[in-house]
Each structure stands twice: as C-alpha cells, then as structure tokens.
Amino acid sequence: MKEESKIALIGMPGCGKSTIGKMLQEEMDLNLIDLDEYIVKLEEKTIDDLFSIGEDIFRTAETNALIRTSNLEGSFIVSTGGGIVKKEENIKILKDNFIVVFIDRSLESIYEDIDASTRPLLKNNKDALLNLYKERYDLYKAACHIQINNKFDINEVVKNIISEIKVYKGKKS
Ligand code: S3P
C-alpha cells in the first residue's frame, strides 16, 4: 500500500510554488490543491475582494481553508499563499500535518519575473516585497521540514525536492 504523504509548499510570492507544485503533481502522481483557489471556492469571493474587505478577513479564510485541507484523507500536495506563515496557528497546522517544503528563491530572481500588479500586497510597491522577505524569511525556515534552493534549473529543483522528501520519510520511519 502506498504510504500517505501530504506535502505543503511554502515560500514568498513569486518563489515558484505554483509551477513547482504542478511539476510535482505530474512527477509524483498526486493531486494538487492551490490554497488560494480553494479559498475562492469556499468563500465565493476573489482574493482581491477578500483583501478589500480587510486582510484579517482574508487571513481567517486562509486558516479555515488550511484546516479543511489538513483534514483531508490521502496523499496530495498543497501550494500555499506566501503569507501562510504570518500566523503561528498556521505554522503548527502545517508542521503537524504536512511535509513542509520551503522554496527558497533569492529576491533578485523573484524581482525578475514577478508580476507585482497581480498580487494585492505588492501592488505598485516593489519595496513591499523586500519588507515581506525580511519579515518572513526566518518564519519560512522555522516552518519547514525541507528547505530547497530554487536557483537551479527547475527540473533539478523538482528532482531535489522529490529526493529530499524520500530522505525525510526514511528518517521518520
Ligand atoms: C499573499 C500571497 C498570495 C495570496 C495573497 C496573500 C501574501 O499568494 O495568498 O495575495 O501574503 O504573501 P502567492 O504567494 O501565491 O502569491
């Protein structure tokens, strides 16, 4: 029988969670849940709408979606929003229920391809990204079981993640 594994991807907006999530989904033959999409489905509102009501409203919806996801049976991958580590409660849920993979990508690389205008917290403000990075880097490190540097070819990064997950599972069993 296939051993159960729930994998969570965390990291800054633009670090590659969505792309890497899709590649892992193919390679590992697992379902992929995009937590932002799940929030939109549960709340019947867009992320922008939730943010315009208030960031706290979005954060509550985010925690609810994470709890529901963590209660799902079976093996799957969840790609989280960059701010998931802002709440200690979320970090605990992640660590207790998932193999947490931090996609660590340099700010320079993120700057190169992020479309800042599509992300509510970064709209019209690139300095915001630097501030988020400073605020969150240590939180990502504390919240993860596996830290992967996304500075190589994306196929290499995916291979590294899969092999680190195997090592992690080996240590746990
Ligand atoms: C956020 C990141 C977004 C999304 C929301 C808040 C953040 O997800 O959850 O706009 O606080 O960094 P991505 O990391 O996928 O951009």
Side-chain angles (χ1 to χ4, degrees):
M1 201 179 72
K2 212 167 146 190
E3 193 193 333
E4 194 176 279
S5 40
K6 295 182 173 56
I7 296 158
L9 306 180
I10 64 168
M12 286 286 290
C15 73
K17 288 167 296 192
S18 305
T19 311
I20 291 170
K22 283 181 194 139
M23 292 172 77
L24 284 174
Q25 171 183 32
E26 291 259 308
E27 288 289 322
M28 301 179 85
D29 195 20
L30 292 177
N31 282 331
L32 172 67
I33 299 171
D34 179 302
L35 203 67
D36 276 354
E37 284 173 14
Y38 194 44
I39 294 167
V40 170
K41 203 166 119 190
L42 291 174
E43 303 297 322
E44 297 180 338
K45 288 190 175 66
T46 66
I47 302 295
D48 267 348
D49 286 346
L50 290 166
F51 263 87
S52 48
I53 305 169
E55 184 176 343
D56 56 328
I57 301 296
F58 171 78
R59 294 295 167 204
T60 303
E62 185 177 47
T63 299
N64 288 340
L66 181 64
I67 292 170
R68 288 178 75 134
T69 308
S70 68
N71 287 330
L72 296 173
E73 298 282 333
S75 298
F76 57 90
I77 303 160
V78 58
S79 170
T80 64
I84 199 83
V85 291
K86 284 184 81 172
K87 281 165 79 177
E88 227 177 282
E89 181 187 359
N90 295 348
I91 295 182
K92 181 159 171 37
I93 298 166
L94 283 168
K95 278 208 129 164
D96 289 350
N97 296 282
F98 297 86
I99 301 173
V100 186
V101 181
F102 168 28
I103 315 286
D104 184 6
R105 190 176 189 206
S106 72
L107 255 193
E108 293 70 36
S109 308
I110 295 177
Y111 276 141
E112 273 168 27
D113 43 75
I114 197 171
D115 174 5
S117 64
T118 64
R119 286 165 155 106
L121 288 181
L122 305 177
K123 249 179 203 165
N124 310 319
N125 188 358
K126 283 221 161 178
D127 282 350
L129 193 64
L130 174 64
N131 290 334
L132 290 186
Y133 191 84
K134 284 192 200 150
E135 256 170 52
R136 294 177 179 174
Y137 190 78
D138 289 343
L139 294 172
Y140 293 131
K141 278 182 81 103
C144 75
H145 301 108
I146 297 168
Q147 181 173 351
I148 294 286
N149 205 326
N150 182 8
K151 69 172 177 191
F152 310 104
D153 169 73
I154 194 94
N155 294 299
E156 282 299 306
V157 174
V158 169
K159 261 193 216 153
N160 285 346
I161 294 175
I162 293 172
S163 84
E164 290 293 329
I165 288 173
K166 277 193 192 132
V167 171
Y168 179 80
K169 281 181 165 177
K171 279 192 204 147
K172 284 212 84 183
S173 58

